[in-house]
Amino acid sequence: MPPAPPLPPVTVVLDRHDDTLHTHTALAAHHPPSGRITLHPGPGTTSETGLAHDLLAALGKPPLLPGRFPGGRQPAWEAATAWMTALPVTRLTVLRAHRLTARRTRRLLQLHALTGIHLTLVCHRPHLPAALHQALRTADYSVTADIETARRHYYGTPIAEPPPADEPAAPASRWLTLSALERLVSYDSPRPCAHPCTPPPIAWRHRPPPVPLTAPTAQRVAHRLHAATAHPRLAAAVAAALFTGASLQQLATARPRDYDDVAATLALHDRARYTDGCAAYLVPPWAGIYLRAAACLTRLLSGEDQELLAAPGDRAHLLRVAETARLRPPQPPTARRKGPAGRVEWDWCERQEAERYEVIPARRARPSQR
C-alpha cells in the first residue's frame, strides 16, 4: 500500500465583523459534484448527531438513517464519514464555527483525520472562542482573516466557479422498471462461506445475466439512489442487485473482504449452488461509490465479519429505499394483480415461476392403462 498523503492542516477563517461577504462566498462555493461542501449548521442545536444530520443534508441526502441499530443510536457520523470517503469530496467549509462546542469540533477533526479532506472553519468573531481553541490544541491549523485567502480555501486552487448542475435535484416521479430486480425478494437460502473463499468470475450457467444499464439509465439510477437514502448499505444493496440480479439472501453473504475496489469486483457466495455458486461480479463504475461507502461504514461500525450490504432483516427498509428511488421490477398486468393499484408487487416473478411448476400439462396427465 502506498503511504497515505500528508493530512492538510485545518484552516480557521476569522470573519472579524461578521461580514455577509464571507458567508455568501462560502455558500456560493458549495457544489458537491466539484468536491466542495459548505456546511451551515442548524441554529439552536448543540448535539453531535444533529451536526452529522446537517452534514448528510449538505451532501444531498435525507438526514435520517432507516433501520434498527445497536443501542438505538443512529450511526450518523459513521455514515457521513463513509459518504465523504466514497464521494469525490475534497473540501468542507463549516460556517458559524464559533458556535460549535468542543465535542462537535472534535467530531469534525476526526472526520478530517479519517477522510483527509481540506477542513475550513469560519469563525465570525475577532478571536477564537474558548471551546474552539481547546478543541484545536492538538490539531495542525492556520488562521487567516483575509477574504481572498479564505476564498481560495473555500474553492481550492485554482478557484473554479461551479458549473451548471447536470443532475436532477430530487428523484423523478416516473418509475424505472428494471428486470434485474425480479429476484430481489427470492427466498433462496445461500449462506456466507465460513472459510476464506476466492470465487471465480460468474459464468451465468443457470440464469441469464441481467441486462446492463445504458449510460443514461445508470446515471438516473445513481442520482435517484443518492437522494433516496443516507444509509450506505441499503444504497449499495440496491446497486448490487442491479448488476448481479441476485436476491437479498445472496447479497447478504458479502463481507467487506468480498469487495475489491482495485479490481472492481464483488464476490457473492452460494455453497449449496441455489443459483450459480460462489462467484465474482464486475462492478460497473456508477455503482463503485455505493460499494466503497458500504465497505467504509461496515469497517467503522463492526469490522470485517459483518454484512457488507443489507441483511435479510433489512428487507422492508431495502424495498422502501428502492421505491423511494422509484425503482421496481416488471409488474403484473392489471388482471393479475393481487395488491391495490399503485403498490409495487416485488414477488411477481416468483409467483410466475411457482405457477409454472404447479401446472401439469394435460398431455402428461394420461389415465393409467390396465
Side-chain angles (χ1 to χ4, degrees):
M1 291 290 292
L7 197 65
V10 176
T11 301
V12 178
V13 174
L14 290 181
D15 174 15
R16 300 182 186 279
H17 306 291
D18 198 4
D19 192 339
T20 57
L21 179 60
H22 273 279
T23 301
H24 291 168
T25 303
L27 290 175
H30 177 79
H31 191 249
S34 299
R36 301 190 301 269
I37 300 294
T38 299
L39 174 61
H40 200 177
T45 61
T46 59
S47 72
E48 298 169 61
T49 302
L51 185 62
H53 289 167
D54 288 340
L55 180 54
L56 289 170
L59 289 168
K61 298 188 170 298
L64 299 179
L65 277 71
R68 297 179 180 178
F69 305 101
R73 184 187 72 85
Q74 282 193 6
W77 273 107
E78 291 83 353
T81 301
W83 288 118
M84 295 283 283
T85 301
L87 292 168
V89 175
T90 57
R91 294 187 173 273
L92 174 62
T93 299
V94 182
L95 293 168
R96 301 290 155 191
H98 61 279
R99 292 181 177 175
L100 295 175
T101 62
R103 292 174 63 89
R104 289 179 123 197
T105 305
R106 282 194 290 268
R107 278 289 195 179
L108 290 170
L109 294 176
Q110 290 171 5
L111 179 71
H112 168 249
L114 287 170
T115 61
I117 57 169
H118 293 261
L119 176 62
T120 301
L121 304 176
V122 185
C123 179
H124 305 270
R125 291 292 185 273
H127 305 286
L128 288 181
L132 189 58
H133 186 271
Q134 177 188 359
L136 288 171
R137 281 187 304 176
T138 59
D140 180 14
Y141 72 97
S142 62
V143 180
T144 182
D146 179 66
I147 182 61
E148 291 305 321
T149 302
R151 187 193 303 271
R152 285 194 293 272
H153 286 290
Y154 302 155
Y155 281 93
T157 306
I159 296 175
E161 297 298 329
D166 58 355
E167 76 275 359
S173 59
R174 184 177 178 181
W175 286 98
L176 282 178
T177 300
L178 304 166
S179 59
L181 296 174
E182 286 181 333
R183 294 187 60 253
L184 186 59
V185 298
S186 174
Y187 282 101
D188 53 15
S189 301
R191 296 181 180 180
C193 291
H195 303 288
C197 173
T198 306
I202 180 70
W204 305 109
R205 293 188 182 94
H206 304 293
R207 57 190 173 103
V211 178
L213 303 183
T214 64
T217 300
Q219 187 180 40
R220 286 197 291 271
V221 167
H223 290 153
R224 291 182 182 200
L225 274 181
H226 176 70
T229 183
H231 201 310
R233 284 179 182 167
L234 296 179
V238 175
L242 291 174
F243 66 82
T244 64
S247 67
L248 173 58
Q249 302 288 121
Q250 190 174 16
L251 293 172
T253 66
R255 299 295 182 264
R257 60 180 172 270
D258 291 317
Y259 171 58
D260 188 331
D261 189 27
V262 176
T265 59
L266 173 68
L268 301 179
H269 301 274
D270 179 17
R271 290 178 298 167
R273 292 188 174 275
Y274 285 91
T275 52
D276 289 285
C278 299
Y281 301 77
L282 285 176
V283 179
W286 68 266
I289 285 175
Y290 302 101
L291 272 295
R292 286 193 291 275
C296 181
L297 177 72
T298 303
R299 291 182 174 118
L300 287 172
L301 287 178
S302 49
E304 293 285 346
D305 294 327
Q306 296 299 314
E307 291 91 349
L308 169 67
L309 308 172
D314 296 321
R315 182 184 183 207
H317 298 296
L318 179 68
L319 300 185
R320 191 171 299 117
V321 166
E323 291 178 18
T324 300
R326 308 294 280 179
L327 307 176
R328 67 181 182 183
Q331 296 296 287
T334 303
R336 303 288 301 278
R337 293 189 64 87
K338 288 192 172 182
R343 191 180 76 180
V344 177
E345 296 196 17
W346 288 92
D347 62 348
W348 169 235
C349 177
E350 295 287 296
R351 282 164 39 201
Q352 285 181 299
E353 291 182 0
E355 289 170 2
R356 284 197 293 269
Y357 282 115
E358 292 172 358
V359 174
I360 301 177
R363 56 189 172 85
R364 295 184 180 178
R366 296 177 179 175
S368 61
Q369 296 180 355
R370 295 186 179 183

